[in-house]
Amino acid sequence: MQDEKHYAQRSGWLRAAVLGANDGILSTASLIIGVAAASSTREPIILAGVAGIVAGALSMAAGEYVSVSSQSDIEKADLKREEEELANMPESELHELKDIYIKRGLRADTALEVAKQLTAHNALEAHARDELGMHEITQARPLQAALSSGAAFTVGGALPVLVAFLAPVNSMEYVQYAAAILFLIVLGATAARTGGSKMSTAVMRITIWGTLAMVASALIGHLFGVNVA
């Protein structure tokens, strides 16, 4: 029998990587567009882009690590509490597990037998999965999320900076916008394919929000159009 392909196990690193790459492309391109709207030379544009990558990658990695660590702390606290309850009132916990299986459609006698067998096999694992909703594939992994997000931001941010090196300064805003939208479309399509979701929806969502962000940055650059040449 051929193994089924499941995408949920990719959710942790994929979410962090897509978020990081999306932010890298979008924030760096938006920053470059904003500076380009107020500049007539290439150097401040590139400097702003590189500074944006460094600050953004560190910020994304730190933010992911802190937020996912908080999730991990909550999971550990819940498991410790469940472990104490299993030690102090095992009978009550057994019936709690049985009630969960009854709500899922099992008969009372079958639910009790299943609860007994799973408790005998690994009580804490059974309660973590069926009572607390914790699964190995969705377990919080702070370091993985931080590295994925930071690295993806750096790669994503490097693309608009590369465009800033190559594009004519007098049309930088328009070239950056077109290139960023292309990068975002490729990212959305890749993420959808990797995660097994609908490609058109992912591409449309990422394109619309990307456009809004970059248009807002260009307007700010024009409104505060101080020449930074």
Side-chain angles (χ1 to χ4, degrees):
M1 180 183 292
Q2 187 177 8
D3 290 339
E4 292 182 71
K5 181 184 287 188
H6 296 289
Y7 297 97
Q9 59 190 344
R10 303 175 181 176
S11 60
W13 66 263
L14 182 60
R15 181 195 65 83
V18 170
L19 180 62
N22 181 76
D23 271 9
I25 294 168
L26 197 50
S27 63
T28 308
S30 296
L31 179 61
I32 288 173
I33 288 171
V35 174
S39 177
S40 58
T41 59
R42 190 181 305 275
E43 288 75 14
I45 299 171
I46 293 173
L47 181 60
V50 172
I53 291 175
V54 174
L58 292 175
S59 176
M60 285 291 295
E64 279 291 321
Y65 187 83
V66 170
S67 63
V68 179
S69 291
S70 298
Q71 179 187 341
S72 180
D73 290 343
I74 293 170
E75 290 177 355
K76 289 175 182 175
D78 280 343
L79 285 174
K80 185 177 180 181
R81 191 179 304 111
E82 199 63 37
E83 199 169 16
E84 291 172 355
E85 290 174 354
L86 284 167
N88 296 328
M89 41 186 183
E91 194 66 27
S92 174
E93 289 296 296
L94 176 67
H95 285 284
E96 190 173 34
L97 209 56
K98 180 198 76 173
D99 291 340
I100 291 171
Y101 299 141
I102 289 175
K103 288 178 182 177
R104 291 183 182 177
L106 295 181
R107 298 195 312 269
D109 56 339
T110 306
L112 181 59
E113 182 59 30
V114 170
K116 285 180 178 178
Q117 290 191 31
L118 289 177
T119 298
H121 174 69
N122 190 325
L124 185 60
E125 182 184 87
H127 281 270
R129 181 183 61 247
D130 296 321
E131 182 184 347
L132 303 177
M134 294 182 188
H135 301 269
E136 185 180 351
I137 59 174
T138 58
Q139 184 180 0
R141 295 179 175 85
L143 189 58
Q144 182 193 66
L147 291 175
S148 298
S149 185
F153 186 101
T154 302
V155 172
L159 297 173
V161 171
L162 179 61
V163 173
F165 270 106
L166 302 175
V169 175
N170 59 359
S171 58
M172 180 72 71
E173 298 164 64
Y174 308 106
V175 176
Q176 278 289 346
Y177 170 74
I181 290 299
L182 177 62
F183 297 147
L184 290 172
I185 288 172
V186 172
L187 174 63
T190 303
R193 184 176 178 82
T194 306
S197 57
K198 191 175 180 181
M199 196 172 294
S200 59
T201 302
V203 169
M204 186 177 296
R205 180 171 57 230
I206 206 168
T207 302
I208 290 171
W209 287 105
T211 298
L212 290 174
M214 286 183 286
V215 168
S217 296
L219 285 174
I220 290 171
H222 281 293
L223 287 173
F224 294 92
V226 178
N227 195 306
V228 291

